[in-house]
Amino acid sequence: MANELAGIDKVANLLAVLVVKDMNKSTAATILATAGFSNKEIAGLLNTSEGSVRSFISIAKRKADKAEKSEKPNDG
């Protein structure tokens, strides 16, 4: 059973790399995080540090929050 799970993990990692291969690291990290990969896994897939991954995701969240706030109508 553990061997089967290791094989599934390898396939998932391969598919993830294929999906994000032409994206910049920031976009790729955000997509992989949304798909459920850990920061450590993302760092390994993108050949970068966990700190960079945390930074990429944090910046993406701030941008999303800012966009969400600008879309809300003012009640005034």
Side-chain angles (χ1 to χ4, degrees):
M1 179 73 168
N3 202 15
E4 290 174 9
L5 291 177
I8 291 171
D9 283 346
K10 287 181 182 180
V11 171
N13 288 346
L14 177 61
L15 290 173
V17 168
L18 290 173
V19 167
V20 300
K21 72 181 177 102
D22 293 328
M23 297 178 187
N24 65 50
K25 287 185 180 184
S26 178
T27 302
T30 304
I31 289 171
L32 293 171
T34 303
F37 285 86
S38 70
N39 289 350
K40 184 176 182 177
E41 291 169 326
I42 295 167
L45 291 169
L46 300 180
N47 196 29
T48 192
S49 70
E50 286 184 65
S52 292
V53 171
R54 282 191 301 272
S55 178
F56 295 147
I57 294 168
S58 176
I59 290 167
K61 285 180 181 177
R62 277 187 295 212
K63 286 181 181 178
D65 288 346
K66 186 175 182 181
E68 185 178 312
K69 286 180 184 178
S70 69
E71 290 176 2
K72 289 183 180 178
N74 287 335
D75 293 333

